[in-house]
Amino acid sequence: MDIDDILASVDRGPGASPESAALDHQLLTRFWVAERAVSEVLPWPAPLMERIMDRVRIQIETIEDIAASSDTTLPTTANTHNPNLNLRLSILQTDLARSQYIVRSLLRARLAKITKYSMHYLVLLASRNKNPLASQTQSTASSQNPNQQPEDSVPDISELTDLAPLSEPESSFLHAHQTLLAGHYAGSFMGAFPRQLRRLDDNAGGTSMIQGPELREVVFVRCLGAEVPVVVGGEEEQYETGVTMRMGGV
């Protein structure tokens, strides 16, 4: 039994194979690198992350079972019948640590962007409201509220179904984080401001208070397809430039 067979032994269900596990790790690594290389939050790959987290859960259960069976204090002879038990345990623990490191680093990178541009992503999600008239009416009523507070400018995204590019837990964290932050601002200094200056999404004078990710920064791109056209857009349409990349090109 080689290393791939040992790692594949924790994959259960239809279609599980060493190739599928290796492909998922490759896709996870690529997504991790891409997420750390750009300033905006990339779309959450839900199917991939579900498979990765299922595999991590199964690996943890398998490692616990192997560790329990290899305990010399228990009346078992498993380690006698399987001399490679410690090697298998070490390989599984190493692969688990690799997956956990990538997932944790990925989540930290995404949470850093979400907390830095929280109002931007809240407004982005709320802009998908199917009833813009109701949204405009609610915004007008909120702006005329004599007891206007910064928390009132935090959009409610609890009823949204399309949460892209965030996952459902990320969207819940985003709303809770911004609500707490708005309450902190209100209690610290914004509560003393005039009513019309207490909104966190104020754009009076043509200047928006909402800070979004910088989309004009330099990024590195590696082509994974046979031939892919790449179009880089500018602020105006006439400044768009394009190039055709081939597999392996950077």
Side-chain angles (χ1 to χ4, degrees):
M1 177 179 291
D2 57 16
I3 295 179
D4 291 336
D5 293 332
I6 294 176
L7 297 179
S9 64
V10 299
D11 293 328
R12 303 170 186 172
S17 65
E19 292 77 12
S20 63
L23 179 60
D24 282 347
H25 276 293
Q26 185 182 44
L27 294 176
L28 176 64
T29 304
R30 287 178 178 175
F31 180 67
W32 170 55
V33 173
E35 187 70 60
R36 290 171 56 88
V38 298
S39 60
E40 59 182 332
V41 176
L42 299 180
W44 179 254
L48 171 63
M49 297 308 298
E50 288 177 1
R51 294 195 302 270
I52 292 294
M53 296 312 298
D54 286 342
R55 187 172 294 112
V56 168
R57 176 181 54 81
I58 295 174
Q59 281 183 325
I60 293 176
E61 294 175 354
T62 304
I63 290 173
E64 290 177 349
D65 293 341
I66 295 177
S69 64
S70 62
D71 191 350
T72 56
T73 61
L74 297 178
T76 179
T77 58
N79 50 353
T80 303
H81 294 291
N82 189 358
N84 296 325
L85 192 63
N86 291 334
L87 175 61
R88 183 187 180 195
L89 181 62
S90 177
I91 292 174
L92 290 177
Q93 288 175 333
T94 302
D95 185 70
L96 175 63
R98 177 185 64 167
S99 300
Q100 289 178 328
Y101 172 80
I102 296 178
V103 171
R104 287 169 180 167
S105 178
L106 171 64
L107 294 179
R108 288 191 182 107
R110 291 178 65 88
L111 289 179
K113 300 176 187 179
I114 291 173
T115 54
K116 185 176 182 180
Y117 308 116
S118 52
M119 277 300 295
H120 167 76
Y121 287 109
L122 279 172
V123 173
L124 177 65
L125 295 177
S127 64
R128 298 171 184 161
N129 195 322
K130 299 300 182 181
N131 190 353
L133 181 60
S135 178
Q136 182 178 3
T137 303
Q138 182 180 4
S139 177
T140 303
S142 177
S143 62
Q144 296 176 352
N145 182 8
N147 297 321
Q148 173 76 37
Q149 295 297 330
E151 298 96 315
D152 299 332
S153 60
V154 178
D156 184 13
I157 59 174
S158 58
E159 297 182 358
L160 294 181
T161 56
D162 183 11
L163 300 175
L166 307 180
S167 64
E168 185 174 351
E170 287 175 337
S171 63
S172 300
F173 166 81
L174 171 63
H175 185 268
H177 167 78
Q178 187 60 31
T179 302
L180 290 174
L181 194 61
H184 171 68
Y185 289 160
S188 299
F189 58 93
M190 293 190 72
F193 287 2
R195 173 182 56 82
Q196 65 273 17
L197 299 179
R198 296 178 185 174
R199 293 189 62 86
L200 297 178
D201 57 353
D202 184 26
N203 57 359
T207 302
S208 177
M209 292 182 60
I210 301 177
Q211 180 185 8
E214 178 57 60
L215 302 181
R216 293 181 298 176
E217 66 179 9
V218 177
V219 296
F220 292 92
V221 179
R222 183 166 69 95
C223 182
L224 301 177
E227 188 173 293
V228 179
V230 179
V231 178
V232 180
E235 295 182 355
E236 299 181 7
E237 186 176 354
Q238 60 266 28
Y239 290 106
E240 289 187 352
T241 58
V243 65
T244 300
M245 298 184 63
R246 291 175 173 79
M247 181 175 293
V250 178

